[in-house]
Amino acid sequence: MGKDVIIACDFESRERTLDFLAQFSACDGCKPFVKIGMELFYAAGPDIVRELKDRGHRVFLDLKLHDIPNTVKKTMRVLSGLGADLCNLHAAGTRAMMEAALEGLTRPDGTRPLLIAVTQLTSTDQAALEQDLWIRAPMEEVILHYAENARAAGLDGVVCSPLEAGKVHGRCGTEFLTVTPGVRFAGGELGDQKRVTTPARARELGSDYIVVGRPITAAPDPVAAYQACVEEFAG
Ligand code: C5P
């Protein structure tokens, strides 16, 4: 898998998403890899995955599953049937849950979407880790431990900050994917993101995929912003 930019389609409806993506039809050869998160999935329903696949997009289905192994396995079977290319879950659901998820994702012909695990949300800081989650260890150690668990369960990678991508590769191997949100152009608006890097820095740090939302979706010219992002990260 080469380096690529994934656009976070954090929109409230199918119509808004299709209008946004229609702008890319003017761009020769642009078929962005897109991320469907909870907002769009719950608003538009599972058909949005099939529709974007039919239009030729690769789809990261960012639903962050976390439940008992049997429930996650059966849900992953449904998501796999929609044709998603990449799915995810919370590593906190345990190794048994991650193994069950892989089983559920595997189609009768042996193919399956890639599966990655959220280690710790980037909105969780050290204080919340200790006081709310009652985990008494440094954040970085927790993230690397969760990443190792995901690798041991047979997963393909993790969602993490670009700042952690190199360490995850060091611990879990260079083939283990790091999919990283928290990317901003130099001088761009941070919004609610705290620990951010530019696409160029994310590339240097070893991210395999960057997930970019508002710097592209809220840009005056989203296609130009996407192309600039691809050029900086993967060019
Ligand atoms: O607009 P922005 O570029 O901040 O969008 C980042 C996307 O990545 C959002 O869809 C957000 O939900 C997602 N994400 C994140 N941090 C995580 C996991 C997912 O920002 N730890």
Side-chain angles (χ1 to χ4, degrees), residues 6-10 35-38 60 62 64 88 118-124 159-161 179-184 189-193 196 211-217:
I6 303 177
I7 304 179
C9 290
D10 293 324
K35 177 172 94 69
I36 298 175
M38 289 186 226
F60 169 21
D62 177 22
K64 300 187 180 74
N88 67 356
V118 176
T119 52
Q120 286 294 327
L121 293 170
T122 44
S123 52
T124 303
V159 183
C160 62
S161 150
V179 178
T180 66
V183 173
R184 292 293 180 264
E189 293 283 328
L190 296 192
D192 54 353
Q193 295 283 12
V196 302
V211 176
V212 187
R214 289 159 290 180
I216 294 175
T217 56

Side-chain angles (χ1 to χ4, degrees), residues 3 10 14-15 22 45 56 62 69 71-72 85 99 101 109 122 129 132-133 135 144 160 164 178 182 196 212 216:
K3 290 188 181 286
D10 293 324
R14 166 183 178 273
E15 291 67 32
D62 177 22
T71 299
V72 169
D85 298 279
E99 288 169 353
D109 66 0
T122 44
L129 191 73
D132 297 356
L133 305 185
I135 298 173
L144 291 174
C160 62
E164 291 140 15
T178 52
V196 302
V212 187
I216 294 175

Side-chain angles (χ1 to χ4, degrees), residues 1 11 15 32 51 56 70 74-75 93 98 105 140 161 189 197-198 202 206 210 214 220 225 229 232 235:
M1 300 282 281
F11 299 122
E15 291 67 32
E51 187 160 9
N70 186 54
K74 293 199 303 182
T75 306
M98 293 191 270
L105 274 185
E140 189 178 294
S161 150
E189 293 283 328
T197 59
T198 61
I210 51 174
R214 289 159 290 180
C229 209
E232 212 182 300

